């Protein structure tokens, strides 16, 4: 029985490691400038952790095999551990994980700490149970003031103040449309509970927290249609909270955001239907 258990541990270990090699459930293609750095960091981390995992499981199997129940009835001896071993593996583990943190800090800082480049296209993303409201500033590139008392889920989902000149050409729609190869800054907000912005191809996730306007910036480099989801269990109908992100050639994007609200919606829907989702 002991031998069987040891062999089972080794087989499970080999099968789990092989799953990573055949990349059956791997990421979809990265479409941002920072994507390759994130993927490289992920790969290094998974290799380091994979080696530790495989070594630990092979060792576990070996101990199960060697100390299995046998005819030899000698009593087990108990030890209280080995201080030198404890110190060594604590230090080695600390060095490994601090090194991984240091290696990843540049891409982390580029995404989360550094401000967006000047001239980045600003788009406001307001989450609510269970929908996305994406607001474009329109031709004047100025977002109108908002106030909760103007919120109407059907006609004015983010509560743009109707007397504010900056808001006259603002457009709200459930689809995120961005230009390719140009920096984009999203201003992430929530009307109710914590949600989470996630497009797997962008290689980041960000919470949307009520009362905060969280800014994230990135440059997408591949035109296409991608799925966008809420990655925070935000309530009963969380599963419905998905939409699309459309990455357009810059000229198409510029033409779209200049349009009057009614034309905008028609053109946006036409574009949305003309792109196919990537296969994975
Ligand atoms: Cu949500």
């Amino acid at each position: 029985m002991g031998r069987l258990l040891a062999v089972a541990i080794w087989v499970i270990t080999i099968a789990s490691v092989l799953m990573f090699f055949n990349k059956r459930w791997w990421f979809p293609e990265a479409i941002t400038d920072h994507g390759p750095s994130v993927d490289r960091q992920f790969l290094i981390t998974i290799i380091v952790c994979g080696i530790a995992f495989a070594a630990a499981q092979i060792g576990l199997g070996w101990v199960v095999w060697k100390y299995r129940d046998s005819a030899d009835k000698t009593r087990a001896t108990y030890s209280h551990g080995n201080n030198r071993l404890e110190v060594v593996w604590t230090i080695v583990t600390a060095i490994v994980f601090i090194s991984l943190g240091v290696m990843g800090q540049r891409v982390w800082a580029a995404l989360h700490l550094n401000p967006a480049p000047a001239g980045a296209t600003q788009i406001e993303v307001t989450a609510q149970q269970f929908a996305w409201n994406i607001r474009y500033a329109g031709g004047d590139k100025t977002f109108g003031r908002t106030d909760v008392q103007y919120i109407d889920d059907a006609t004015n989902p983010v509560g743009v103040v109707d007397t504010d000149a900056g808001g006259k050409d603002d457009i709200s729609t459930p689809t995120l449309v961005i230009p390719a190869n140009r920096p984009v800054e999203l201003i992430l907000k929530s009307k109710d509970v914590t949600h989470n912005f996630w497009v797997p191809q962008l290689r980041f996730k960000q919470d949307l927290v009520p009362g905060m306007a969280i800014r994230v910036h990135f440059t997408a480099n591949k035109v296409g249609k991608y799925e966008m989801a809420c990655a925070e269990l935000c309530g009963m109908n969380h599963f419905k909270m998905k939409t699309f992100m459309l990455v357009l050639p810059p000229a198409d994007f510029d033409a779209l955001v200049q349009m009057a609200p009614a034309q905008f919606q028609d053109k946006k829907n036409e574009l949305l239907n003309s792109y196919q989702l990537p296969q994975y």
Side-chain angles (χ1 to χ4, degrees):
M1 198 62 190
R3 282 192 179 131
L4 198 63
L5 181 58
V7 171
I9 290 169
W10 288 329
V11 168
I12 291 169
T13 306
I14 291 166
S16 343
V17 172
L18 282 181
M19 283 205 302
F20 284 92
F21 277 99
N22 74 18
K23 292 196 170 182
R24 175 99 188 261
W25 291 290
W26 210 246
F27 300 138
E29 183 189 13
I31 59 153
T32 43
D33 288 358
H34 67 267
S37 308
V38 174
D39 286 5
R40 201 174 315 118
Q41 180 74 17
F42 177 83
L43 196 62
I44 294 168
T45 306
I46 206 96
I47 288 170
V48 169
C49 294
I51 290 169
F53 166 75
Q57 296 306 303
I58 290 166
L60 176 65
W62 176 76
V63 171
V64 168
W65 180 288
K66 185 165 166 31
Y67 297 104
R68 67 190 180 277
D69 191 17
S70 64
D72 177 12
K73 293 284 186 233
T74 48
R75 286 176 68 84
T77 54
Y78 294 92
S79 85
H80 290 283
N82 179 327
N83 283 346
R84 188 188 290 175
L85 193 62
E86 293 278 353
V87 169
V88 168
W89 82 34
T90 303
I91 290 174
V92 169
T93 312
I95 290 172
V96 167
F97 283 100
I98 290 170
S99 307
L100 286 171
V102 169
M103 286 165 69
Q105 61 80 32
R106 186 181 295 192
V107 63
W108 174 264
L111 266 176
H112 296 278
L113 302 179
N114 301 347
T121 305
Q122 290 188 323
I123 299 169
E124 188 192 74
V125 178
T126 306
Q128 72 179 82
Q129 290 171 312
F130 299 93
W132 295 97
N133 305 290
I134 320 291
R135 182 157 67 123
Y136 304 86
D140 64 358
K141 301 204 165 139
T142 308
F143 289 108
R145 240 167 13 89
T146 56
D147 191 321
V148 285
Q149 63 185 341
Y150 288 83
I151 289 179
D152 178 308
D153 275 345
T155 57
N156 190 359
V158 296
V160 179
V161 177
D162 54 13
T163 51
D164 189 43
K168 288 276 180 257
D169 58 352
D170 286 11
I171 295 165
S172 282
T173 189
T175 313
L176 175 60
V177 186
I178 60 168
N181 301 317
R182 255 197 228 159
V184 170
E185 181 175 45
L186 302 182
I187 304 159
L188 303 173
K189 299 179 175 180
S190 170
K191 277 161 77 170
D192 36 42
V193 299
T194 302
H195 298 274
N196 189 289
F197 172 89
W198 190 35
V199 177
Q201 285 86 350
L202 294 181
R203 295 296 194 272
F204 72 87
K205 279 181 178 171
Q206 178 61 54
D207 276 353
L208 300 91
V209 182
M212 294 178 78
I214 299 171
R215 288 163 187 266
V216 289
H217 62 93
F218 59 91
T219 303
N221 52 28
K222 189 165 183 208
V223 166
K225 178 162 81 173
Y226 306 93
E227 285 178 302
M228 171 177 154
C230 174
E232 187 78 52
L233 183 57
C234 59
M236 279 291 279
N237 290 328
H238 161 71
F239 71 97
K240 282 188 188 166
M241 202 169 158
K242 55 179 187 174
T243 182
F244 297 105
M245 179 183 80
L246 201 54
V247 183
L248 293 180
D252 289 1
F253 176 81
D254 289 341
L256 182 72
V257 292
Q258 299 288 334
M259 289 178 180
Q263 281 174 291
F264 176 100
Q265 303 289 3
D266 290 346
K267 183 69 185 167
K268 188 264 302 173
N269 289 335
E270 183 193 318
L271 287 163
L272 195 60
N273 292 331
S274 68
Y275 286 96
Q276 296 294 316
L277 280 174
Q279 296 289 319
Y280 35 75

